[in-house]
Amino acid sequence: MKKIYADEAVDQLSNSLSRWALALLVIACGVALGIMANRLPAPKSATAPTTDFSADRAMQHVRAIATRPHPTGSPEIDDTRRYLMNQTQALGLNPLLRTQTAISARRYFNDVAPAGRMQNIVAEYRGIDPTLPAVLLMAHYDTAALSPGAGDDTSGVAVALEVARALKAAGALRRSVIFLFTDGEEAGLLGSTAFFASDPLRRRIGLVINLEARGDSGRALMFQTSAGNSRLIDVYRQAVPSPAADSLLVTIYKHMPNDTDLTAALDKGLAGLNFAFVGHQMAYHTALSTPDRLNVGSIQHMGDQVLPAVRLFAQADSLDRAQDDSIFSDLFGLFLIAYPSWLGWVLAIATIGATFAMTGVALARRTIDWRDMLAGAGGLLALLLGIATMLMLALRLANLIVRDLSTPYALIGQFGALLAATALLGISFGLLLLGVAMTARPKVAALGLGIAGLATGFLGSFSAIPLILGGGAALLVFANMRRPVSLNGWFAGAMTLVGLLALAFQIMLPNGAHILLWPLLLFALPLAMLLFAPISTLQPLGLLAMTAPAILIAGLMARAGYDFFLMIGVSLPAIVTPFILLTLLAVAPLLWSSRNLLRVASIGSVAGLGLFVAAAIDARTPTADNPDMVEAFYIADIDSARANWVSARLDRAGWVRRTLSQDGGVPRLGSIAPIAKDDHWIAPAKPAAYARPVLRLTATSAGNGHRINLVAANRNGGRFMRLFFKPSVELRNLRLMDQPVSGPIKAGDWSSMTFHASGADPVHVSMDAAGPGQMDIQLIEVRDQWPEGAKTIPLPPHSIPYRRAGNSLILARAALRW
């Protein structure tokens, strides 16, 4: 059978240089569209109209609040609380301070239940009809222990204050807008849990908008909604001039183990939207999160979305939720495309059906060979697994280079270089496999993929995933790239596989299937031209017609791929493989049979791999933007009259070793269980004059069982306490401060309970045991200072404290038999 049209046409239409020029144009335009999608607005000055959102005005609050860390229970958070009370009072919002004992319903690690004494601030801008369900705007005002928190979440607090000012300036609203500044988010969503569980205002809430940050830069994504979001999205679409949202992200986030304060509201069945920016994650929970580093454009972008959305929601006739979800995505930040789920099914049936119909007709006319189609489908799958394997190999190499560093953020600080390395390696290696498919020379590529998968599986810690991916890619390359194929048949097979994957997405993730359906729709023109256009129409103008949808596909993939890489790409660069794959499909018709493809792609692959290695090597040199993170803390075991200096890791500059050795001891690896499971560096320390925390245990008979009662209290000004339990029998019916705690304490293992902002007041815990038994218990009182008299060893240049750095852990023990 004669193979017609495509191979001959492409060879006749242009030389290799012009084909490369078109392919590079597609990729360059795709990158440009991705950059456009992530552009930030210019910050509005403090002299902007009073009804506008001004990032400069919001930054005044950031600079006032984010001067130092202010975690829950610290003296510093008292200053923040006073500032917020004064600011909301000045706005005429009549703030109220709600003090509650909060217990989280969620377990974190081995925690039985994070808990604490929380102090939320609630303020209201009353609407014309305050009986209508109100809009709640929420942000948390506590920070991580060692972070000034300019991003997380002083930015959210500042945006909320500026929104409140702008709303007041614009005049009365139909509904009330309630502002909630929560305490204890970093401790386990404690403030929001307390509010939505028992605050009197909770029953008036109709909609919750939460403001967060996981970094200090980037556009503010609307990344989470409540179920039945179609009405919410309709208002968001109407209100927001520069949207940043995608229902694929919303769908995926639902399946991730992440929580924000909005989680507590959603658990109570409330409707809600969640906003956050996630760029420059080096600042997340670190000392780098300062006002000077915070991107003011990110503040403006968040305000430009939140203020008009709140206004429109506050004027809405109803805040009732719809029964269905919307499919939505912003088009390069210009506007939001949104449509109902049923229309998504119509689009899926039409788009997938058209793809299958075109390939079916071409097969029936014998203009393509079914074997070429199989080679295209198998080859596309080989590209998917092969690119993922190489990106995993590159990451393993990078992690090996930085694994002895004290900082866990080393590669995060190389975000820009790793993004470029991922794109270069992914695209280049994909083109290399595309060249193998065109030249039918699979042996070397298959062998290389097998070796890459094997190496990745055993580099560092063992992992079976790269073994499976690399082995699968090698088999697919060898099986599908042994014979020359025509472009039209190969492309038709690849499109058929994309259609099948789109169908699977539509069934399993209907609100995220547009990530495949939209490109599949754009691929319809190139596919139709390759299958049915006569040679005479496939002249340069025809190639340009194929280039236009390719540019849009590359742009959509750049936009979506960047969002995914921004969130988890540094720790899992293979996450962007599907976006790279669709971009490669867009340029495949332009580069098919191109000369020097294998050579250029090989050079690009080596360069991409080298860029990964170079970024990791660069991460080994600390800088102001990518510093070493060092830790040293003090443990005082009061009952044994012993003390130790402790750290999880040693640093290259030697600060940790000098700190741990300050009392003459030699650091050695050892256990600090149950405080942490991993071995730590430990050196003997001089015992400090700490008072023993209060720890009393009693047991009483209760029917056929026993009731155990515990009283604990700090004695040294600790910010919070942790209780560690190890019972011989399971304990049930837990009550903390006379409130029920979900779940039992299991027998035989250490379980912990953290009580934040504990102060010096006693904490009461009770629990039931069905029969006789015994329990060991440890109480850790945590202070934010080292003991008096400890040496202050200056930090080396470009080093910052993290985790428990600067803490004193004061330990008391007790045991009980019953």
Side-chain angles (χ1 to χ4, degrees):
M1 183 181 67
K2 182 182 179 182
K3 295 174 182 174
I4 63 174
Y5 303 148
D7 293 334
E8 298 170 359
V10 171
D11 285 336
Q12 295 170 7
L13 289 173
S14 58
N15 57 33
S16 180
L17 183 60
S18 64
R19 292 198 297 272
W20 274 107
L22 286 175
L24 291 174
L25 176 66
V26 169
I27 293 174
C29 289
V31 171
L33 288 172
I35 292 172
M36 183 180 75
N38 286 280
R39 70 196 184 285
L40 292 174
K44 291 186 179 180
S45 71
T47 59
T50 58
T51 56
D52 289 0
F53 182 94
S54 163
D56 283 359
R57 285 192 287 251
M59 283 300 298
Q60 294 174 13
H61 299 300
V62 174
R63 294 187 183 96
I65 296 172
T67 57
R68 51 186 173 167
H70 42 279
T72 296
S74 66
E76 292 77 13
I77 203 172
D78 293 336
D79 295 336
T80 303
R81 192 177 296 118
R82 282 189 289 271
Y83 178 86
L84 292 176
M85 292 291 287
N86 291 336
Q87 290 297 313
T88 48
Q89 185 66 53
L91 288 170
L93 303 181
N94 299 320
L96 300 172
L97 186 63
R98 309 287 207 194
T99 302
Q100 299 167 278
T101 296
I103 301 174
S104 174
R106 285 173 162 73
R107 290 173 177 249
Y108 297 91
F109 307 105
N110 284 338
D111 277 351
V112 173
R117 297 185 180 95
M118 297 297 106
Q119 298 186 65
N120 293 330
I121 297 170
V122 186
E124 181 177 358
Y125 177 39
R126 290 180 69 83
I128 296 172
D129 187 354
T131 63
L132 292 172
V135 177
L136 177 74
L137 187 59
M138 174 168 61
H140 69 88
Y141 70 95
D142 63 309
T143 70
L146 294 172
S147 175
D152 181 22
D153 188 28
T154 305
S155 61
V157 170
V159 168
L161 288 172
E162 173 62 6
V163 166
R165 186 210 56 75
L167 292 177
K168 289 275 290 185
L173 298 168
R174 183 176 186 183
R175 299 173 184 275
S176 293
V177 179
I178 297 173
F179 297 86
L180 172 61
F181 302 103
T182 62
D183 190 4
E185 191 272 352
E186 303 292 359
L189 318 183
L190 294 178
S192 58
T193 297
F195 178 87
F196 293 109
S198 59
D199 193 282
L201 283 175
R202 74 192 189 282
R203 301 188 186 280
R204 291 182 50 205
I205 306 302
L207 172 69
V208 180
I209 296 177
N210 186 55
L211 308 180
E212 260 289 1
R214 191 180 176 87
D216 64 3
S217 186
R219 63 178 188 159
L221 298 169
M222 196 282 288
F223 67 96
Q224 184 183 18
T225 75
S226 51
N229 63 25
S230 62
R231 290 181 183 171
L232 300 182
I233 296 304
D234 187 54
V235 172
Y236 176 80
R237 179 183 56 80
Q238 295 177 52
V240 176
S242 181
D246 196 308
S247 54
L248 174 62
L249 289 178
V250 171
T251 301
I252 291 176
Y253 188 82
K254 289 179 181 178
H255 301 283
M256 295 177 69
N258 298 334
D259 291 324
T260 68
D261 273 341
L262 185 64
T263 305
L266 299 184
D267 286 346
K268 297 298 183 181
L270 290 167
L273 301 172
N274 218 345
F275 293 82
F277 45 82
V278 295
H280 190 230
Q281 294 187 23
M282 278 295 298
Y284 181 58
H285 287 181
T286 73
L288 297 182
S289 187
T290 62
D292 290 341
R293 291 178 179 270
L294 183 61
N295 192 323
V296 185
S298 298
I299 297 287
Q300 188 67 51
H301 190 235
M302 181 176 280
D304 285 348
Q305 294 182 85
V306 173
L307 175 59
V310 169
R311 276 183 177 147
L312 199 52
F313 280 122
Q315 301 286 30
D317 292 334
S318 173
L319 295 179
D320 293 339
R321 279 186 287 179
Q323 297 299 314
D324 61 337
D325 288 324
S326 284
I327 299 165
F328 57 89
S329 179
D330 69 275
L331 190 64
F332 309 123
L334 300 174
F335 55 87
L336 192 77
I337 298 174
Y339 50 88
S341 296
W342 65 263
L343 188 54
W345 277 102
V346 172
L347 178 64
I349 292 169
T351 305
I352 298 169
T355 301
F356 291 171
M358 283 191 286
T359 55
V361 170
L363 278 172
R365 292 181 178 180
R366 298 190 178 184
T367 56
I368 57 173
D369 189 324
W370 64 268
R371 291 172 297 179
D372 290 353
M373 280 193 61
L374 286 179
L380 188 68
L381 193 56
L383 263 67
L384 179 69
L385 300 185
I387 294 169
T389 300
M390 291 305 297
L391 291 177
M392 292 179 72
L393 173 62
L395 180 65
R396 281 295 181 102
L397 289 172
N399 279 327
L400 279 177
I401 293 170
V402 302
R403 68 176 178 177
D404 64 330
L405 300 185
S406 60
T407 171
Y409 280 29
L411 290 181
I412 292 177
Q414 299 294 319
F415 176 86
L418 291 179
L419 176 61
T422 298
L424 179 59
L425 177 58
I427 291 174
S428 297
F429 193 74
L431 289 175
L432 179 63
L433 293 182
L434 196 63
V436 171
M438 292 187 300
T439 57
R441 291 186 285 180
K443 292 183 180 179
V444 174
L447 179 63
L449 280 168
I451 293 173
L454 188 66
T456 308
F458 287 96
L459 278 174
S461 58
F462 172 76
S463 174
I465 294 176
L467 290 175
I468 296 170
L469 293 180
L475 290 174
L476 286 166
V477 165
F478 191 76
N480 294 280
M481 301 181 183
R482 291 184 297 172
R483 51 182 289 273
V485 295
S486 65
L487 169 59
N488 47 8
W490 189 94
F491 196 77
M495 286 296 99
T496 301
L497 179 60
V498 173
L500 290 172
L501 292 174
L503 180 61
F505 260 58
Q506 183 62 37
I507 294 171
M508 295 185 294
L509 296 173
N511 295 323
H514 62 282
I515 197 64
L516 289 177
L517 291 174
W518 293 3
L520 194 61
L521 180 62
L522 292 168
F523 276 126
L525 176 61
L527 180 61
M529 293 180 69
L530 287 172
L531 293 180
F532 306 119
I535 294 175
S536 60
T537 62
L538 287 178
Q539 297 301 322
L541 289 178
L543 273 184
L544 289 176
M546 296 172 67
T547 302
I551 288 174
L552 279 175
I553 292 167
L556 289 172
M557 295 305 100
R559 172 218 171 274
Y562 180 81
D563 285 345
F564 275 81
F565 193 88
L566 188 64
M567 290 184 287
I568 56 176
V570 172
S571 58
L572 186 63
I575 192 70
V576 300
T577 301
F579 309 108
I580 292 174
L581 188 67
L582 289 172
T583 303
L584 289 170
L585 266 181
V587 300
L590 305 176
L591 288 178
W592 195 266
S593 299
S594 176
R595 296 176 183 178
N596 300 319
L597 179 58
L598 285 174
R599 184 179 303 172
V600 173
S602 298
I603 294 171
S605 298
V606 172
L609 196 60
L611 192 54
F612 263 98
V613 172
I617 292 173
D618 189 51
R620 296 187 61 83
T621 302
T623 65
D625 292 327
N626 189 18
D628 269 346
M629 297 183 183
V630 296
E631 174 190 48
F633 56 99
Y634 181 89
I635 299 179
D637 189 335
I638 300 299
D639 294 318
S640 67
R642 295 178 181 174
N644 289 299
W645 290 105
V646 183
S647 179
R649 304 187 78 167
L650 302 178
D651 64 315
R652 290 165 294 163
W655 180 87
V656 173
R657 186 178 292 275
R658 290 194 299 274
T659 300
L660 268 55
S661 304
Q662 65 178 279
D663 292 326
V666 177
R668 302 181 185 278
L669 281 173
S671 173
I672 60 169
I675 298 172
K677 291 183 178 180
D678 297 335
D679 284 349
H680 281 54
W681 291 94
I682 305 171
K686 295 178 181 177
Y690 285 133
R692 185 181 189 276
V694 174
L695 182 59
R696 295 195 299 269
L697 279 169
T698 58
T700 57
S701 297
N704 296 325
H706 302 269
R707 187 71 176 167
I708 295 102
N709 296 286
L710 177 150
V711 178
N714 294 332
R715 294 282 304 282
N716 303 279
R719 178 166 53 84
F720 67 94
M721 68 168 64
R722 294 192 72 188
L723 295 164
F724 293 91
F725 307 92
K726 189 177 182 180
S728 61
V729 296
E730 187 173 84
L731 303 177
R732 295 182 174 274
N733 301 325
L734 274 71
R735 295 189 71 84
L736 172 62
M737 302 299 286
D738 205 31
Q739 294 187 38
V741 178
S742 62
I745 296 179
K746 296 180 180 179
D749 295 325
W750 285 104
S751 297
S752 65
M753 177 184 293
T754 306
F755 197 91
H756 295 270
S758 43
D761 295 332
V763 174
H764 298 268
V765 183
S766 61
M767 59 208 85
D768 289 338
Q774 62 184 35
M775 179 168 63
D776 294 325
I777 187 166
Q778 295 185 15
L779 164 62
I780 306 288
E781 178 183 350
V782 180
R783 298 181 75 245
D784 287 330
Q785 302 85 28
W786 285 345
E788 186 176 351
K791 296 179 182 178
T792 301
I793 301 174
L795 286 172
H798 308 317
S799 294
I800 59 174
Y802 86 115
R803 292 207 308 186
R804 303 183 185 93
N807 284 168
S808 291
L809 280 59
I810 304 155
L811 170 64
R813 305 172 187 268
L816 180 70
R817 291 178 178 271
W818 61 85

